[in-house]
């Protein structure tokens, strides 16, 4: 159960330098998206330090200000990144367009030191009576940091030992039904195989501040139990292009296509140009709408009229053709042209 969070910055720089030597990019799930350890601002600064130390482009995966304690820090973070970019560093980010993040109970609420080492180490700490008081204390604080029991929705049980009746309910609802403290419920889930959750812990003002930067791409960060896996792009279009009008249609398209190809060095992708792969989506802007939600996260979206993948029709007049022409993409050498 080892995590990169337990490695120091110098180790990460050394690994990133190896990626740089191969023409790669450092794509970072940053050390802290809230104030669990070094804090959000320091975690962003660490990414910049790694990019500079390893002479490598860096991308901040699913950028966010997670939890009430760091809401409002997006302005300072944007300034941080803009200053680094002005120094010549290549710093980008991606973002999924949802107020809720997706993770596991154990990742969200348990103290990080509990998860260090192996699975056996982790379970031994959870079952150690001498550590129980400290674990409860820190789990309670982490739940507060996430916005409380009402903000944690169970989306999938990861073990048959976790009640399927709890799926689709918040920790607050489960706590009331079971007549016990929500921290006890969280620890019970962690001990018995864990569960996926949606954690409603982002502020719309921060989301807008990040989304409107020209170096922030669209992403899904897909995982089971969260609608971002199936619906991030239509969600962004419908909610933040059409309804909120945070960004233009042109910006939405570029940050979902060309900016991604440029950032990750995909030579013949991301643009409608001669000799590029024919990856084309044609939507009806009136009906392009997400259908997935937290109760039905795998529902397909509406409004895609045609989809061409590598020159092969995958969706024709709104219907799947059954053609599967996708393939793994690799970085290219040299200039994209």
């Amino acid at each position: 159960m080892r995590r990169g969070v337990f490695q120091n910055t110098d180790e990460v720089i050394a690994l990133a330098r190896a990626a740089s030597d191969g023409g790669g990019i450092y794509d970072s799930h940053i050390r802290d998206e809230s104030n669990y350890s070094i804090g959000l601002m320091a975690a962003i600064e660490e990414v910049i330090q790694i990019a500079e130390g390893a002479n490598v482009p860096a991308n901040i995966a699913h950028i966010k200000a997670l939890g009430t304690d760091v809401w409002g820090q997006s302005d300072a973070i944007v300034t941080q990144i803009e200053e680094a970019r002005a120094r010549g560093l290549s710093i980008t980010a991606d973002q999924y367009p949802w107020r809720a993040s997706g993770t596991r109970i154990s990742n969200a609420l348990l103290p990080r030191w509990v998860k260090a080492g192996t699975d056996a180490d982790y379970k031994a700490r959870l079952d150690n009576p001498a550590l129980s008081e400290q674990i409860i204390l820190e789990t309670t604080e982490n739940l507060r940091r996430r916005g409380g029991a009402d903000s944690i929705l169970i989306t999938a049980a990861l073990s048959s030992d976790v009640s399927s009746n709890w799926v689709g309910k918040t920790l607050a609802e489960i706590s009331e039904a079971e007549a016990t403290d929500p921290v006890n419920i969280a620890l019970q889930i962690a001990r018995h195989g864990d569960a996926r959750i949606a954690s409603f812990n982002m502020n719309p003002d921060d989301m807008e501040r990040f989304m409107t930067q020209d170096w922030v791409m669209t992403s899904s960060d897909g995982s089971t139990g969260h609608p971002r896996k199936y619906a991030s792009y239509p969600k962004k279009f419908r909610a933040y292009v059409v309804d909120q009008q945070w960004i233009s249609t042109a910006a939405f398209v570029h940050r979902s296509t060309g900016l991604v190809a440029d950032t990750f060095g995909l030579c013949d992708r991301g643009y409608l140009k001669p000799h590029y792969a024919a990856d084309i989506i044609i939507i009806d802007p009136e009906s392009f709408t997400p259908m997935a939600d937290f109760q039905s996260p795998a529902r397909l979206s509406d409004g895609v009229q045609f989809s061409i993948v590598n020159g092969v029709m995958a969706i024709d007049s709104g219907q799947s053709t059954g053609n599967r022409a996708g393939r793994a993409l690799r970085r290219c050498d040299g200039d994209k042209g």
Side-chain angles (χ1 to χ4, degrees):
M1 193 171 288
R2 297 195 179 275
R3 300 288 188 269
V5 72
F6 300 112
Q7 315 310 313
N8 64 45
T9 305
D10 288 341
E11 290 179 273
V12 181
I13 288 175
L15 291 169
R17 191 173 291 123
S20 177
D21 292 343
I25 183 171
Y26 172 57
D27 190 23
S28 177
H29 188 301
I30 61 176
R31 193 179 296 273
D32 194 351
E33 296 175 327
S34 185
N35 62 345
Y36 282 95
S37 55
I38 65 173
L40 176 59
M41 294 283 294
I44 298 291
E45 188 58 41
E46 184 183 38
V47 172
I48 295 169
Q49 180 185 350
I50 291 165
E52 196 155 26
N55 189 30
V56 68
N59 183 65
I60 299 163
H62 44 71
I63 193 168
K64 64 174 73 71
L66 187 155
T68 56
D69 292 347
V70 295
W71 284 359
Q73 290 188 9
S74 55
D75 283 345
I77 289 166
V78 167
T79 298
Q80 245 182 322
I81 294 171
E82 292 283 7
E83 289 175 349
R85 287 169 60 87
R87 298 201 308 271
L89 297 177
S90 177
I91 309 292
T92 56
D94 61 69
Q95 177 195 41
Y96 52 80
W98 305 87
R99 283 193 59 244
S101 62
T103 185
R104 299 181 177 203
I105 278 281
S106 61
N107 292 340
L109 300 182
L110 265 60
R112 292 191 173 176
W113 56 265
V114 173
K115 302 196 74 178
T118 65
D119 286 350
D121 295 333
Y122 163 60
K123 292 172 182 176
R125 292 187 190 103
L126 279 179
D127 293 333
N128 186 342
L131 299 176
S132 177
E133 183 177 352
Q134 187 62 30
I135 290 173
I136 290 172
L137 182 67
E138 293 189 38
T139 302
T140 300
E141 171 61 9
N142 287 342
L143 183 59
R144 180 206 64 78
R145 179 182 279 117
R146 289 258 173 179
D150 284 316
S151 71
I152 305 295
L153 176 71
I154 307 298
T155 59
L158 296 178
S159 166
S160 59
D161 292 330
V162 176
S163 174
S164 60
N165 293 330
W166 292 356
V167 175
K169 295 182 172 63
T170 66
L171 271 186
E173 292 170 333
I174 298 168
S175 172
E176 181 177 2
E178 300 292 333
T180 188
D181 187 86
V183 169
N184 291 336
I185 297 293
L187 292 175
Q188 181 178 336
I189 291 171
R191 287 190 181 97
H192 292 91
D194 223 340
R196 293 195 182 278
I197 63 168
S199 177
F200 292 83
N201 42 231
M202 280 172 267
N203 183 289
D205 291 340
D206 290 317
M207 292 176 62
E208 180 179 9
R209 181 67 167 143
F210 290 133
M211 192 179 292
T212 52
Q213 304 310 307
D214 60 11
W215 38 264
V216 174
M217 297 167 277
T218 312
S219 68
S220 62
D221 192 41
S223 59
T224 302
H226 196 300
R228 64 190 180 184
K229 186 173 184 177
Y230 279 76
S232 280
Y233 295 87
K235 165 73 171 181
K236 186 170 182 176
F237 179 79
R238 183 58 49 195
Y240 302 118
V241 175
V242 176
D243 295 341
Q244 299 293 331
Q245 298 183 8
W246 288 358
I247 61 173
S248 68
T249 299
F252 164 74
V253 171
H254 177 61
R255 295 173 198 179
S256 304
T257 55
L259 181 58
V260 181
D262 293 342
T263 299
F264 292 99
L266 307 177
C267 295
D268 59 351
R269 306 281 165 167
Y271 296 91
L272 295 177
K273 296 174 65 174
H275 309 300
Y276 273 46
D279 292 336
I280 302 169
I281 298 287
I282 299 174
I283 66 169
D284 175 2
E286 297 300 319
S287 62
F288 188 45
T289 303
M291 301 304 292
D293 56 26
F294 290 98
Q295 284 68 47
S296 301
R299 289 182 66 188
L300 299 180
S301 300
D302 280 348
V304 176
Q305 297 301 303
F306 300 92
S307 174
I308 301 170
V309 179
N310 288 318
V312 177
M313 191 72 75
I315 295 175
D316 188 352
S317 302
Q319 301 298 315
S320 171
T321 65
N323 295 326
R324 298 183 177 183
R327 62 173 183 265
L329 301 181
R330 298 182 183 275
R331 285 180 59 88
C332 59
D333 296 322
D335 185 22
K336 286 182 64 178

